[in-house]
Amino acid sequence: MFGKFITLEGGDGCGKSTQLKLLAEYLQSKNIDVVLTKEPGSTDEGKILRELLVTGDKDKFDAISECLLYYADRRCNLKKVVWPALKENKWVISDRYADSTEAYQYYGYNKRVDFQTLKSLYKIVAGDFKPDLTIILDIDPEIGMRRSFAKSQSMEVKELRFESRQMEFHHNLRQGFLEIAKREPDRCVVINANTDIETLHKHIIETVNERLGV
Ligand code: TYD
């Protein structure tokens, strides 16, 4: 595969979607063909899985079922969007990828899923494939949740299933992302997201230039 695969990760309200678009515009200005994708819900099948995941009763799935659904969505994203684009020499930027499963379903839920199970699922779904670069947007959950609440008020479709998660969950999640970055420093870079949009964008493109040489 010739293109590059960049993933953007972070807790709720870290500004991922805005930064994803700005990064895509920057890369396009450098004549790079960019494909944007997201998890969950980038394919027709994934949209159905997303609907299952983000609506309804908070306890309707246990942690394992939730992981399996995210991984089914991931497999669709890889096979239908990510891998074909990389083969065409395009760069793919994904709004969330496997680190979200580890952070949300493992660290967020106080390690209710076995770590090796998660790793095995990854292997089944993606083999040895991994992102060339993962940018983790780090924000204090108190600030992130305020931002994310403001955004949800203006959403047409209410994706409320995860709204009642406690602050403890969001703090665990943040620590989870930081642990992943510490474990895999060659792939992951943590960037402070508690800044204005322009400053954050500048830090992101500096990182991409440094790591991937645009
Ligand atoms: P997303 O649309 O990225 O929400 P947000 O705009 O809040 O970042 O993702 C939907 C939800 O799914 C979000 O709460 C994070 C969660 N999620 C997991 O719990 N595990 C996963 O593997 C992924 C990809 C997402």
Side-chain angles (χ1 to χ4, degrees), residues 4-9 23 27 91-94 97 99 130-136 184-191 203-214:
K4 299 278 184 209
F5 183 39
I6 304 174
T7 58
L8 237 63
E9 298 279 6
L23 175 59
L27 293 173
W91 286 37
V92 181
I93 316 175
S94 188
Y97 183 62
D99 298 315
K130 63 181 175 115
D132 295 289
L133 172 65
T134 295
I135 296 172
I136 295 173
E184 289 188 67
D186 290 344
R187 174 174 67 84
C188 303
V189 177
V190 178
I191 300 182
H203 288 155
I204 290 176
I205 58 177
E206 275 167 10
T207 302
V208 172
N209 284 330
E210 198 178 291
R211 293 287 181 121
L212 302 178
V214 176

mmCIF file of all heavy atoms in Angstrom, residues 4-9 23 27 91-94 97 99 130-136 184-191 203-214:
data_model
loop_
_atom_site.group_PDB
_atom_site.id
_atom_site.type_symbol
_atom_site.label_atom_id
_atom_site.label_comp_id
_atom_site.label_asym_id
_atom_site.label_seq_id
_atom_site.Cartn_x
_atom_site.Cartn_y
_atom_site.Cartn_z
ATOM 1 N N LYS A 4 -0.886 7.045 2.893
ATOM 2 C CA LYS A 4 -0.643 7.063 4.349
ATOM 3 C C LYS A 4 -1.985 7.010 5.072
ATOM 4 O O LYS A 4 -2.985 7.554 4.594
ATOM 5 C CB LYS A 4 0.062 8.364 4.749
ATOM 6 C CG LYS A 4 1.414 8.551 4.088
ATOM 7 C CD LYS A 4 2.497 7.797 4.817
ATOM 8 C CE LYS A 4 3.855 8.070 4.187
ATOM 9 N NZ LYS A 4 4.763 6.935 4.357
ATOM 10 N N PHE A 5 -1.955 6.389 6.242
ATOM 11 C CA PHE A 5 -3.170 6.268 7.047
ATOM 12 C C PHE A 5 -2.963 7.023 8.361
ATOM 13 O O PHE A 5 -2.110 6.654 9.170
ATOM 14 C CB PHE A 5 -3.463 4.788 7.302
ATOM 15 C CG PHE A 5 -4.734 4.526 8.064
ATOM 16 C CD1 PHE A 5 -5.887 5.276 7.819
ATOM 17 C CD2 PHE A 5 -4.802 3.514 9.026
ATOM 18 C CE1 PHE A 5 -7.066 5.033 8.503
ATOM 19 C CE2 PHE A 5 -5.976 3.263 9.721
ATOM 20 C CZ PHE A 5 -7.108 4.016 9.455
ATOM 21 N N ILE A 6 -3.750 8.101 8.526
ATOM 22 C CA ILE A 6 -3.660 8.914 9.747
ATOM 23 C C ILE A 6 -4.955 8.747 10.531
ATOM 24 O O ILE A 6 -6.044 8.823 9.948
ATOM 25 C CB ILE A 6 -3.493 10.417 9.400
ATOM 26 C CG1 ILE A 6 -2.282 10.641 8.504
ATOM 27 C CG2 ILE A 6 -3.406 11.271 10.663
ATOM 28 C CD1 ILE A 6 -2.140 12.079 8.018
ATOM 29 N N THR A 7 -4.841 8.512 11.833
ATOM 30 C CA THR A 7 -6.065 8.460 12.642
ATOM 31 C C THR A 7 -6.050 9.592 13.672
ATOM 32 O O THR A 7 -4.992 9.957 14.197
ATOM 33 C CB THR A 7 -6.217 7.089 13.350
ATOM 34 O OG1 THR A 7 -5.065 6.844 14.167
ATOM 35 C CG2 THR A 7 -6.349 5.972 12.348
ATOM 36 N N LEU A 8 -7.244 10.121 13.912
ATOM 37 C CA LEU A 8 -7.402 11.181 14.910
ATOM 38 C C LEU A 8 -8.223 10.618 16.059
ATOM 39 O O LEU A 8 -9.306 10.058 15.831
ATOM 40 C CB LEU A 8 -8.151 12.352 14.267
ATOM 41 C CG LEU A 8 -7.454 13.703 14.300
ATOM 42 C CD1 LEU A 8 -6.172 13.607 13.490
ATOM 43 C CD2 LEU A 8 -8.336 14.800 13.728
ATOM 44 N N GLU A 9 -7.708 10.771 17.254
ATOM 45 C CA GLU A 9 -8.376 10.183 18.413
ATOM 46 C C GLU A 9 -8.511 11.214 19.529
ATOM 47 O O GLU A 9 -7.791 12.219 19.539
ATOM 48 C CB GLU A 9 -7.539 9.005 18.950
ATOM 49 C CG GLU A 9 -7.341 7.842 17.983
ATOM 50 C CD GLU A 9 -8.544 6.889 17.943
ATOM 51 O OE1 GLU A 9 -9.591 7.176 18.566
ATOM 52 O OE2 GLU A 9 -8.414 5.840 17.296
ATOM 53 N N LEU A 23 -7.117 19.594 8.451
ATOM 54 C CA LEU A 23 -5.952 18.819 8.028
ATOM 55 C C LEU A 23 -6.124 18.351 6.583
ATOM 56 O O LEU A 23 -5.189 18.411 5.778
ATOM 57 C CB LEU A 23 -5.746 17.624 8.967
ATOM 58 C CG LEU A 23 -4.623 16.652 8.579
ATOM 59 C CD1 LEU A 23 -3.272 17.364 8.498
ATOM 60 C CD2 LEU A 23 -4.535 15.478 9.562
ATOM 61 N N LEU A 27 -3.615 19.155 3.443
ATOM 62 C CA LEU A 27 -2.954 18.133 2.614
ATOM 63 C C LEU A 27 -3.341 18.305 1.145
ATOM 64 O O LEU A 27 -2.500 18.170 0.250
ATOM 65 C CB LEU A 27 -3.319 16.726 3.113
ATOM 66 C CG LEU A 27 -2.765 16.355 4.496
ATOM 67 C CD1 LEU A 27 -3.328 15.020 4.964
ATOM 68 C CD2 LEU A 27 -1.229 16.316 4.494
ATOM 69 N N TRP A 91 -4.191 9.427 0.677
ATOM 70 C CA TRP A 91 -4.006 9.471 2.129
ATOM 71 C C TRP A 91 -5.385 9.393 2.782
ATOM 72 O O TRP A 91 -6.314 10.090 2.351
ATOM 73 C CB TRP A 91 -3.315 10.784 2.556
ATOM 74 C CG TRP A 91 -1.857 10.838 2.230
ATOM 75 C CD1 TRP A 91 -1.243 10.342 1.113
ATOM 76 C CD2 TRP A 91 -0.826 11.445 3.014
ATOM 77 N NE1 TRP A 91 0.105 10.596 1.155
ATOM 78 C CE2 TRP A 91 0.384 11.280 2.314
ATOM 79 C CE3 TRP A 91 -0.810 12.120 4.238
ATOM 80 C CZ2 TRP A 91 1.603 11.765 2.797
ATOM 81 C CZ3 TRP A 91 0.397 12.601 4.721
ATOM 82 C CH2 TRP A 91 1.594 12.413 4.011
ATOM 83 N N VAL A 92 -5.500 8.569 3.793
ATOM 84 C CA VAL A 92 -6.786 8.416 4.464
ATOM 85 C C VAL A 92 -6.667 8.977 5.875
ATOM 86 O O VAL A 92 -5.715 8.661 6.600
ATOM 87 C CB VAL A 92 -7.204 6.923 4.528
ATOM 88 C CG1 VAL A 92 -8.554 6.775 5.201
ATOM 89 C CG2 VAL A 92 -7.224 6.314 3.134
ATOM 90 N N ILE A 93 -7.652 9.806 6.235
ATOM 91 C CA ILE A 93 -7.695 10.292 7.621
ATOM 92 C C ILE A 93 -8.977 9.757 8.246
ATOM 93 O O ILE A 93 -10.074 9.993 7.731
ATOM 94 C CB ILE A 93 -7.708 11.836 7.715
ATOM 95 C CG1 ILE A 93 -6.701 12.462 6.749
ATOM 96 C CG2 ILE A 93 -7.429 12.286 9.145
ATOM 97 C CD1 ILE A 93 -6.785 13.984 6.733
ATOM 98 N N SER A 94 -8.838 9.040 9.342
ATOM 99 C CA SER A 94 -10.021 8.465 9.993
ATOM 100 C C SER A 94 -10.302 9.154 11.328
ATOM 101 O O SER A 94 -9.422 9.295 12.173
ATOM 102 C CB SER A 94 -9.819 6.958 10.214
ATOM 103 O OG SER A 94 -11.023 6.376 10.673
ATOM 104 N N TYR A 97 -10.371 5.297 15.343
ATOM 105 C CA TYR A 97 -10.012 3.967 14.844
ATOM 106 C C TYR A 97 -9.845 3.081 16.080
ATOM 107 O O TYR A 97 -10.483 3.342 17.121
ATOM 108 C CB TYR A 97 -8.748 4.075 13.961
ATOM 109 C CG TYR A 97 -8.300 2.793 13.312
ATOM 110 C CD1 TYR A 97 -9.104 2.128 12.403
ATOM 111 C CD2 TYR A 97 -7.061 2.224 13.629
ATOM 112 C CE1 TYR A 97 -8.685 0.936 11.814
ATOM 113 C CE2 TYR A 97 -6.633 1.041 13.044
ATOM 114 C CZ TYR A 97 -7.458 0.403 12.142
ATOM 115 O OH TYR A 97 -7.044 -0.778 11.565
ATOM 116 N N ASP A 99 -7.821 2.674 18.525
ATOM 117 C CA ASP A 99 -7.478 3.182 19.867
ATOM 118 C C ASP A 99 -8.729 3.610 20.620
ATOM 119 O O ASP A 99 -8.751 3.594 21.847
ATOM 120 C CB ASP A 99 -6.491 4.353 19.768
ATOM 121 C CG ASP A 99 -5.187 3.907 19.134
ATOM 122 O OD1 ASP A 99 -4.678 2.831 19.510
ATOM 123 O OD2 ASP A 99 -4.698 4.615 18.238
ATOM 124 N N LYS A 130 -1.593 -1.145 10.507
ATOM 125 C CA LYS A 130 -1.835 -0.135 11.546
ATOM 126 C C LYS A 130 -1.640 1.265 10.972
ATOM 127 O O LYS A 130 -1.029 1.422 9.898
ATOM 128 C CB LYS A 130 -0.973 -0.382 12.775
ATOM 129 C CG LYS A 130 0.503 -0.280 12.540
ATOM 130 C CD LYS A 130 1.246 -0.585 13.840
ATOM 131 C CE LYS A 130 2.724 -0.594 13.579
ATOM 132 N NZ LYS A 130 3.604 0.269 14.085
ATOM 133 N N PRO A 131 -2.126 2.279 11.666
ATOM 134 C CA PRO A 131 -1.961 3.634 11.137
ATOM 135 C C PRO A 131 -0.487 4.031 11.045
ATOM 136 O O PRO A 131 0.345 3.590 11.847
ATOM 137 C CB PRO A 131 -2.668 4.514 12.185
ATOM 138 C CG PRO A 131 -3.592 3.597 12.906
ATOM 139 C CD PRO A 131 -2.922 2.260 12.910
ATOM 140 N N ASP A 132 -0.165 4.881 10.055
ATOM 141 C CA ASP A 132 1.189 5.438 9.971
ATOM 142 C C ASP A 132 1.385 6.476 11.065
ATOM 143 O O ASP A 132 2.491 6.693 11.544
ATOM 144 C CB ASP A 132 1.390 6.108 8.603
ATOM 145 C CG ASP A 132 1.322 5.083 7.489
ATOM 146 O OD1 ASP A 132 2.269 4.288 7.385
ATOM 147 O OD2 ASP A 132 0.307 5.049 6.761
ATOM 148 N N LEU A 133 0.298 7.143 11.411
ATOM 149 C CA LEU A 133 0.364 8.177 12.456
ATOM 150 C C LEU A 133 -0.988 8.277 13.157
ATOM 151 O O LEU A 133 -2.030 8.308 12.501
ATOM 152 C CB LEU A 133 0.700 9.537 11.803
ATOM 153 C CG LEU A 133 0.637 10.772 12.710
ATOM 154 C CD1 LEU A 133 1.703 10.706 13.802
ATOM 155 C CD2 LEU A 133 0.826 12.058 11.890
ATOM 156 N N THR A 134 -0.939 8.342 14.469
ATOM 157 C CA THR A 134 -2.154 8.561 15.258
ATOM 158 C C THR A 134 -1.973 9.827 16.079
ATOM 159 O O THR A 134 -1.007 9.935 16.845
ATOM 160 C CB THR A 134 -2.428 7.355 16.190
ATOM 161 O OG1 THR A 134 -2.703 6.213 15.378
ATOM 162 C CG2 THR A 134 -3.605 7.616 17.116
ATOM 163 N N ILE A 135 -2.899 10.759 15.883
ATOM 164 C CA ILE A 135 -2.835 12.008 16.647
ATOM 165 C C ILE A 135 -3.912 11.943 17.727
ATOM 166 O O ILE A 135 -5.097 11.757 17.429
ATOM 167 C CB ILE A 135 -3.053 13.219 15.724
ATOM 168 C CG1 ILE A 135 -1.904 13.276 14.713
ATOM 169 C CG2 ILE A 135 -3.157 14.515 16.528
ATOM 170 C CD1 ILE A 135 -2.095 14.314 13.623
ATOM 171 N N ILE A 136 -3.464 12.059 18.964
ATOM 172 C CA ILE A 136 -4.405 12.012 20.089
ATOM 173 C C ILE A 136 -4.602 13.427 20.603
ATOM 174 O O ILE A 136 -3.648 14.076 21.046
ATOM 175 C CB ILE A 136 -3.862 11.086 21.202
ATOM 176 C CG1 ILE A 136 -3.791 9.644 20.661
ATOM 177 C CG2 ILE A 136 -4.733 11.166 22.449
ATOM 178 C CD1 ILE A 136 -3.113 8.650 21.587
ATOM 179 N N GLU A 184 3.122 3.247 22.535
ATOM 180 C CA GLU A 184 3.476 3.221 21.101
ATOM 181 C C GLU A 184 3.906 4.600 20.610
ATOM 182 O O GLU A 184 3.216 5.230 19.797
ATOM 183 C CB GLU A 184 2.276 2.743 20.278
ATOM 184 C CG GLU A 184 1.990 1.268 20.461
ATOM 185 C CD GLU A 184 0.912 0.799 19.481
ATOM 186 O OE1 GLU A 184 1.167 0.789 18.274
ATOM 187 O OE2 GLU A 184 -0.179 0.496 19.960
ATOM 188 N N PRO A 185 5.054 5.087 21.104
ATOM 189 C CA PRO A 185 5.480 6.448 20.747
ATOM 190 C C PRO A 185 5.846 6.620 19.265
ATOM 191 O O PRO A 185 5.804 7.734 18.761
ATOM 192 C CB PRO A 185 6.714 6.677 21.637
ATOM 193 C CG PRO A 185 7.172 5.324 22.023
ATOM 194 C CD PRO A 185 5.992 4.412 22.005
ATOM 195 N N ASP A 186 6.175 5.518 18.581
ATOM 196 C CA ASP A 186 6.517 5.661 17.161
ATOM 197 C C ASP A 186 5.292 5.985 16.314
ATOM 198 O O ASP A 186 5.389 6.608 15.272
ATOM 199 C CB ASP A 186 7.137 4.362 16.616
ATOM 200 C CG ASP A 186 8.514 4.155 17.214
ATOM 201 O OD1 ASP A 186 9.066 5.125 17.773
ATOM 202 O OD2 ASP A 186 9.019 3.016 17.149
ATOM 203 N N ARG A 187 4.145 5.506 16.782
ATOM 204 C CA ARG A 187 2.917 5.723 16.010
ATOM 205 C C ARG A 187 2.104 6.917 16.517
ATOM 206 O O ARG A 187 1.453 7.610 15.742
ATOM 207 C CB ARG A 187 2.054 4.442 16.071
ATOM 208 C CG ARG A 187 0.694 4.588 15.436
ATOM 209 C CD ARG A 187 -0.061 3.269 15.386
ATOM 210 N NE ARG A 187 -0.461 2.737 16.692
ATOM 211 C CZ ARG A 187 -1.565 3.106 17.342
ATOM 212 N NH1 ARG A 187 -2.383 4.019 16.832
ATOM 213 N NH2 ARG A 187 -1.857 2.555 18.523
ATOM 214 N N CYS A 188 2.132 7.156 17.832
ATOM 215 C CA CYS A 188 1.184 8.123 18.430
ATOM 216 C C CYS A 188 1.854 9.425 18.872
ATOM 217 O O CYS A 188 2.950 9.406 19.424
ATOM 218 C CB CYS A 188 0.542 7.516 19.674
ATOM 219 S SG CYS A 188 -0.307 5.972 19.378
ATOM 220 N N VAL A 189 1.141 10.522 18.667
ATOM 221 C CA VAL A 189 1.585 11.820 19.189
ATOM 222 C C VAL A 189 0.414 12.439 19.948
ATOM 223 O O VAL A 189 -0.713 12.472 19.432
ATOM 224 C CB VAL A 189 2.005 12.767 18.038
ATOM 225 C CG1 VAL A 189 2.401 14.131 18.570
ATOM 226 C CG2 VAL A 189 3.153 12.163 17.237
ATOM 227 N N VAL A 190 0.679 12.903 21.159
ATOM 228 C CA VAL A 190 -0.372 13.549 21.948
ATOM 229 C C VAL A 190 -0.251 15.059 21.773
ATOM 230 O O VAL A 190 0.840 15.619 21.903
ATOM 231 C CB VAL A 190 -0.223 13.206 23.454
ATOM 232 C CG1 VAL A 190 -1.282 13.920 24.278
ATOM 233 C CG2 VAL A 190 -0.306 11.700 23.663
ATOM 234 N N ILE A 191 -1.362 15.717 21.474
ATOM 235 C CA ILE A 191 -1.345 17.178 21.307
ATOM 236 C C ILE A 191 -2.397 17.783 22.235
ATOM 237 O O ILE A 191 -3.542 17.294 22.297
ATOM 238 C CB ILE A 191 -1.634 17.568 19.839
ATOM 239 C CG1 ILE A 191 -0.573 16.954 18.910
ATOM 240 C CG2 ILE A 191 -1.672 19.082 19.671
ATOM 241 C CD1 ILE A 191 -0.740 17.316 17.446
ATOM 242 N N HIS A 203 -0.302 22.977 15.298
ATOM 243 C CA HIS A 203 0.427 21.878 15.947
ATOM 244 C C HIS A 203 0.229 20.561 15.189
ATOM 245 O O HIS A 203 1.149 19.759 15.069
ATOM 246 C CB HIS A 203 -0.011 21.710 17.408
ATOM 247 C CG HIS A 203 0.494 22.831 18.273
ATOM 248 N ND1 HIS A 203 -0.126 23.208 19.434
ATOM 249 C CD2 HIS A 203 1.554 23.666 18.130
ATOM 250 C CE1 HIS A 203 0.538 24.224 19.975
ATOM 251 N NE2 HIS A 203 1.560 24.516 19.202
ATOM 252 N N ILE A 204 -0.981 20.365 14.686
ATOM 253 C CA ILE A 204 -1.253 19.116 13.959
ATOM 254 C C ILE A 204 -0.439 19.065 12.659
ATOM 255 O O ILE A 204 0.200 18.060 12.356
ATOM 256 C CB ILE A 204 -2.775 18.960 13.688
ATOM 257 C CG1 ILE A 204 -3.482 18.679 15.014
ATOM 258 C CG2 ILE A 204 -3.041 17.838 12.677
ATOM 259 C CD1 ILE A 204 -4.988 18.598 14.938
ATOM 260 N N ILE A 205 -0.415 20.185 11.914
ATOM 261 C CA ILE A 205 0.338 20.095 10.648
ATOM 262 C C ILE A 205 1.853 20.016 10.902
ATOM 263 O O ILE A 205 2.563 19.338 10.168
ATOM 264 C CB ILE A 205 -0.031 21.178 9.598
ATOM 265 C CG1 ILE A 205 0.180 22.574 10.118
ATOM 266 C CG2 ILE A 205 -1.427 21.012 9.085
ATOM 267 C CD1 ILE A 205 -0.115 23.630 9.066
ATOM 268 N N GLU A 206 2.312 20.623 11.990
ATOM 269 C CA GLU A 206 3.739 20.460 12.343
ATOM 270 C C GLU A 206 4.046 18.977 12.578
ATOM 271 O O GLU A 206 5.060 18.457 12.118
ATOM 272 C CB GLU A 206 4.061 21.242 13.619
ATOM 273 C CG GLU A 206 4.386 22.709 13.366
ATOM 274 C CD GLU A 206 4.378 23.536 14.666
ATOM 275 O OE1 GLU A 206 4.317 22.958 15.791
ATOM 276 O OE2 GLU A 206 4.407 24.768 14.531
ATOM 277 N N THR A 207 3.152 18.321 13.308
ATOM 278 C CA THR A 207 3.350 16.900 13.613
ATOM 279 C C THR A 207 3.333 16.053 12.347
ATOM 280 O O THR A 207 4.179 15.173 12.152
ATOM 281 C CB THR A 207 2.231 16.412 14.567
ATOM 282 O OG1 THR A 207 2.284 17.215 15.734
ATOM 283 C CG2 THR A 207 2.386 14.966 14.944
ATOM 284 N N VAL A 208 2.356 16.327 11.478
ATOM 285 C CA VAL A 208 2.249 15.536 10.239
ATOM 286 C C VAL A 208 3.491 15.750 9.374
ATOM 287 O O VAL A 208 4.044 14.799 8.816
ATOM 288 C CB VAL A 208 0.947 15.913 9.478
ATOM 289 C CG1 VAL A 208 0.901 15.251 8.111
ATOM 290 C CG2 VAL A 208 -0.273 15.498 10.296
ATOM 291 N N ASN A 209 3.960 16.990 9.294
ATOM 292 C CA ASN A 209 5.159 17.271 8.489
ATOM 293 C C ASN A 209 6.377 16.549 9.051
ATOM 294 O O ASN A 209 7.158 15.950 8.334
ATOM 295 C CB ASN A 209 5.442 18.776 8.449
ATOM 296 C CG ASN A 209 4.482 19.483 7.517
ATOM 297 O OD1 ASN A 209 4.022 18.885 6.550
ATOM 298 N ND2 ASN A 209 4.147 20.724 7.799
ATOM 299 N N GLU A 210 6.483 16.619 10.386
ATOM 300 C CA GLU A 210 7.640 16.002 11.048
ATOM 301 C C GLU A 210 7.631 14.477 10.897
ATOM 302 O O GLU A 210 8.640 13.865 10.575
ATOM 303 C CB GLU A 210 7.530 16.350 12.537
ATOM 304 C CG GLU A 210 8.765 16.205 13.355
ATOM 305 C CD GLU A 210 8.449 16.645 14.781
ATOM 306 O OE1 GLU A 210 8.217 17.852 15.009
ATOM 307 O OE2 GLU A 210 8.394 15.755 15.630
ATOM 308 N N ARG A 211 6.436 13.868 11.103
ATOM 309 C CA ARG A 211 6.363 12.403 11.109
ATOM 310 C C ARG A 211 6.268 11.788 9.720
ATOM 311 O O ARG A 211 6.785 10.713 9.460
ATOM 312 C CB ARG A 211 5.147 11.941 11.918
ATOM 313 C CG ARG A 211 5.228 12.231 13.407
ATOM 314 C CD ARG A 211 6.245 11.283 14.034
ATOM 315 N NE ARG A 211 6.375 11.475 15.460
ATOM 316 C CZ ARG A 211 6.151 10.519 16.361
ATOM 317 N NH1 ARG A 211 5.753 9.325 15.996
ATOM 318 N NH2 ARG A 211 6.335 10.770 17.641
ATOM 319 N N LEU A 212 5.536 12.493 8.822
ATOM 320 C CA LEU A 212 5.271 11.862 7.527
ATOM 321 C C LEU A 212 5.909 12.614 6.359
ATOM 322 O O LEU A 212 5.803 12.170 5.208
ATOM 323 C CB LEU A 212 3.763 11.714 7.284
ATOM 324 C CG LEU A 212 2.980 10.906 8.339
ATOM 325 C CD1 LEU A 212 1.516 10.872 8.008
ATOM 326 C CD2 LEU A 212 3.518 9.479 8.433
ATOM 327 N N GLY A 213 6.501 13.751 6.654
ATOM 328 C CA GLY A 213 7.194 14.505 5.620
ATOM 329 C C GLY A 213 6.316 14.873 4.438
ATOM 330 O O GLY A 213 6.397 14.256 3.382
ATOM 331 N N VAL A 214 5.440 15.837 4.602
ATOM 332 C CA VAL A 214 4.539 16.240 3.517
ATOM 333 C C VAL A 214 5.305 16.998 2.439
ATOM 334 O O VAL A 214 6.068 17.883 2.774
ATOM 335 C CB VAL A 214 3.391 17.123 4.064
ATOM 336 C CG1 VAL A 214 2.511 17.608 2.918
ATOM 337 C CG2 VAL A 214 2.580 16.345 5.077
#
